[in-house]
Amino acid sequence: MIATPAAIDVPLRVDAQGKIRVGGTRVLLELVIRAFQHGESPEGIVEQYSALKLADVYAVLAYYL
């Protein structure tokens, strides 16, 4: 029997200006994705943007990938 993958809530929101932000922070999704594309690890991204939660970064990157 094949297990059904669990659904995850992606912690993204659109602000009043139409920008996509991660979780309850002001950090833009594009900044997280750009850092990842430049080789930064999820832990490194959290170090750069201390308002982020590591679990949120992993969820956003899983969604992106």
Side-chain angles (χ1 to χ4, degrees):
M1 175 177 231
I2 298 175
T4 303
I8 59 169
D9 290 326
V10 181
L12 297 173
R13 64 180 173 84
V14 179
D15 68 10
Q17 292 79 35
K19 303 287 185 180
I20 302 173
R21 305 210 181 253
V22 178
T25 71
R26 298 186 64 207
V27 179
L28 293 170
L29 171 63
E30 65 184 87
L31 295 176
V32 173
I33 299 304
R34 189 175 301 134
F36 181 72
Q37 289 174 335
H38 285 101
E40 196 62 64
S41 68
E43 292 80 4
I45 294 170
V46 170
E47 285 181 18
Q48 286 181 342
Y49 304 103
S50 61
L52 293 173
K53 296 177 184 173
L54 184 58
D56 288 350
V57 173
Y58 271 106
V60 167
L61 292 176
Y63 178 75
Y64 166 70
L65 292 173

